[in-house]
């Protein structure tokens, strides 16, 4: 009987308000239907369906309504089955309904449920739905045996970390790809707005993202990083769950106040919670990583080796670095981050350089090795205590060997916390200083061999021996200058054997003869020299020697002052050239030239 009353009520009232207005005002009708179901879509059903007519108004109520967006009885191959999905919405009377429990089955096994109100207007179906994640407002409009939709839903219905609303619209027509457009704000600590231009197809295996799908972010912010023009796209058809290969590219950006170049990141999603990534900075510089999601985004960079020359070429494309030519070397790197989205959990990166060979003009550094342990936590950089650099040999014209430098991060910059090396059978050390385009420091020298220094100077007839110490304050601002430098030594000797022409001149010059006589065997107790050099390399050395020397068969005290001026950079260049020429000449030719 209830089915008959319900059918009669629908027949009388459904054609339109004109028929309803013809009914007497005192008439009150009730009708109910226990269950309705779409045979082709078993999960689409309505239960305890009730209609009520009173005071010229028709209202409806449903205990439960289930809709299935994944339904397709044609095996996802055509329009016939696609039209079955949501068909209950079309068969319900065009009246407002209060639904005690609305359930929506989504692709990827997602299910939404909660009380809702369903309204009709101009052929469209408007749903106000109170789900567990918040209020969902959606308008569905049937068109060409398909649907158009637009509305707003809480972001946490999709991803728990999305706190803002998601605005969406799209359409689905039988036999065509489903189009879904959505936009929302990124969750903290990220900043920016995410836009989806999605295309989906149905296949025997289910829904798939088409290659034309794009996920874009005009500008992404994270801590002190800014990236612009981000685009995420599938490399080919990808299942709706996202497992497969994706490509993320960006046009450029900034880190703190420094520009960053564009790059491309290839993502391989093994599941919703883990996958692999490969960052392509240049064709020769690619960095691989593993990631997984477990209460945060964890990242691991397994140890991998990159060509140093390719890394330097990439860095020179966006950083202002010294003009170094990398002739050889490898860079090994590894790293990890417990949660990239949590500033309290740090990011660590370990870099190791080996077998490096670097050149700057005529300066050549061999056997370069180094280690850098970099950590980033709560917006601050730090370096591991064992971070440093070693150089087997640096040819400046005066060979420097066994160079060891310790590095540190202080404030907002990289510091040289100490440097030592061997030179002229002695030792050198640099005071701590900040590594920047404009810096200053102090070079300390200890136990340098005077004999080796004079042999490099290659002044005919001049020999000597002793140990020198020094302190050379310098300023480096593109070019090197020295001010108020000092060299000193104790208890050594100097000998100058004049050439024939100078010796002949001394026969007629008593003062010159006495001076040459003192310098033939000068035993000094004190050697002091003031050293300065201009940025163009012009050096002035004021030397004072105090000691004893035999003159006319007797030992006499000697105070000898000498001023020497020469372009030190040109001298070092000459010494480098001589050394390089000696390295290249066959041994037989070197022997002939020394005879």
């Amino acid at each position: 009987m209830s089915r008959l009353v319900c059918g009669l009520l629908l027949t009388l009232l459904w054609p339109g308000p004109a028929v309803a207005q013809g009914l007497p005002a005192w008439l009150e009708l009730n009708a109910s239907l226990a269950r309705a179901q779409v045979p082709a879509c078993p999960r689409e059903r309505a239960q305890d369906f009730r209609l009520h007519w009173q005071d010229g108004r028709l209202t409806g109520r449903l205990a439960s309504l289930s809709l299935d967006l994944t339904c397709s009885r044609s095996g996802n191959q055509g329009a016939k089955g696609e039209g079955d999905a949501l068909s209950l919405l079309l068969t319900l009377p065009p009246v407002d309904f209060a639904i005690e429990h609305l359930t929506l089955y989504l692709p990827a096994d997602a299910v939404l449920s909660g009380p809702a109100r369903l309204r009709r207007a101009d052929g469209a179906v408007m749903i106000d739905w109170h789900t567990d994640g918040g209020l969902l407002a959606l308008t569905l409009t049937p068109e060409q045996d398909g649907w158009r939709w637009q509305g707003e839903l809480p972001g946490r219905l999709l991803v728990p970390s999305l706190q803002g609303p998601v605005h969406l619209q799209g359409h689905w027509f039988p036999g065509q790809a489903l189009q879904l457009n959505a936009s929302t704000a990124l969750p903290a600590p990220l900043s920016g707005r995410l836009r989806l231009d999605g295309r989906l197809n149905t296949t025997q295996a289910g829904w798939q993202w088409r290659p034309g799908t794009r996920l874009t972010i005009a500008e992404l912010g994270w801590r002190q990083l800014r990236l612009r023009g981000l685009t995420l796209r599938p490399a080919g058809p990808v299942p709706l769950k996202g497992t497969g290969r994706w490509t993320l590219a960006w046009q450029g950006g900034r880190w703190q106040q420094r520009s960053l170049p564009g790059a491309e990141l290839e993502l391989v999603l093994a599941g919703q919670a883990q996958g692999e990534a490969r960052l392509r900075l240049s064709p020769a510089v690619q960095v691989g990583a593993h990631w997984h999601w477990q209460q945060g985004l964890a990242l691991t960079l397994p140890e991998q080796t990159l060509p140093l020359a390719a890394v330097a070429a990439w860095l020179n494309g966006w950083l202002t670095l010294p003009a170094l030519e990398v002739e050889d070397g490898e860079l090994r790197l590894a790293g990890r981050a417990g949660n990239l989205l949590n500033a309290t959990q740090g990011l660590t990166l370990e870099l190791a350089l080996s077998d490096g060979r670097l050149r700057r003009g005529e300066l050549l550094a061999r056997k370069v090795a180094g280690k850098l342990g970099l950590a980033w936590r709560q917006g601050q950089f730090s370096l591991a205590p064992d971070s440093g650099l070693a150089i087997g040999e640096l040819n400046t014209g005066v060979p420097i060997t066994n160079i060891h430098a310790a590095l540190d991060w202080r404030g907002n910059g990289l510091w040289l916390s100490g440097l030592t090396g061997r030179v002229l059978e002695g030792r050198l050390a640099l005071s701590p200083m900040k590594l920047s385009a404009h810096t200053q420091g102090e070079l300390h020298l200890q136990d340098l061999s005077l004999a080796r220094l004079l042999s490099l100077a290659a002044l005919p007839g001049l020999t000597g021996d002793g140990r020198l110490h020094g302190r050379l304050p310098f300023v480096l601002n593109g070019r090197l200058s020295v001010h108020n430098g000092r060299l000193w030594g104790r208890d050594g000797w100097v000998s100058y054997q004049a050439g024939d022409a100078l010796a002949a001149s001394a026969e007629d010059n008593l003062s010159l003869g006495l001076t040459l006589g003192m310098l033939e065997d000068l035993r000094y107790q004190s050697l002091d020299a003031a050293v300065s050099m201009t940025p163009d390399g012009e050096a002035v050395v004021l030397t004072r020697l105090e000691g004893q020397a035999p003159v006319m068969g007797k030992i006499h005290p000697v105070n000898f002052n000498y001023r020497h001026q020469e372009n030190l950079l040109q001298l070092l260049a000459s010494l480098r050239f001589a050394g390089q020429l000696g390295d290249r000449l066959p041994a037989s030719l070197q022997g002939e030239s020394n005879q």
Side-chain angles (χ1 to χ4, degrees), residues 402-423:
N402 298 326
I403 301 172
H404 295 274
L407 301 174
D408 192 13
W409 190 274
R410 303 180 188 177
N412 60 349
L414 185 64
W415 277 69
L416 180 69
S417 56
L419 182 145
T420 61
R422 301 285 298 181
V423 60

Side-chain angles (χ1 to χ4, degrees), residues 6-136:
C6 182
L8 179 60
L9 186 61
L10 293 179
T11 301
L12 291 173
L13 304 179
W14 206 324
V19 175
Q21 291 173 2
L23 298 175
W26 51 264
L27 182 63
E28 181 177 350
L29 297 174
N30 288 287
S32 65
L33 186 65
R35 176 178 299 177
Q37 187 170 352
V38 179
C41 300
R43 293 193 296 189
E44 285 216 347
R45 62 174 66 93
Q47 291 182 322
D48 195 8
F49 170 59
R50 299 176 182 273
L51 287 175
H52 181 65
W53 171 266
Q54 186 178 13
D55 298 329
R57 182 170 175 265
L58 181 64
T59 59
R61 190 171 189 86
L62 276 169
S64 69
L65 174 65
S66 299
L67 303 174
D68 189 358
L69 288 180
T70 68
C71 175
S72 176
R73 75 180 178 193
S74 63
N76 297 309
Q77 295 298 313
K80 184 177 181 181
E82 292 169 1
D84 294 328
L86 307 182
S87 58
L88 269 179
L89 290 180
L90 294 176
T91 57
L92 289 174
V95 296
D96 295 350
F97 277 87
I99 305 172
E100 297 176 9
H101 194 81
L102 173 63
T103 301
L104 181 63
Y105 295 95
L106 300 169
D109 298 327
V111 179
L112 300 177
S113 62
R117 176 164 292 279
L118 188 149
R119 295 175 290 119
R120 297 273 191 151
D122 299 327
V125 180
M126 290 168 284
I127 302 174
D128 297 320
W129 187 8
H130 295 273
T131 68
D132 295 337
L135 177 63
L136 183 153

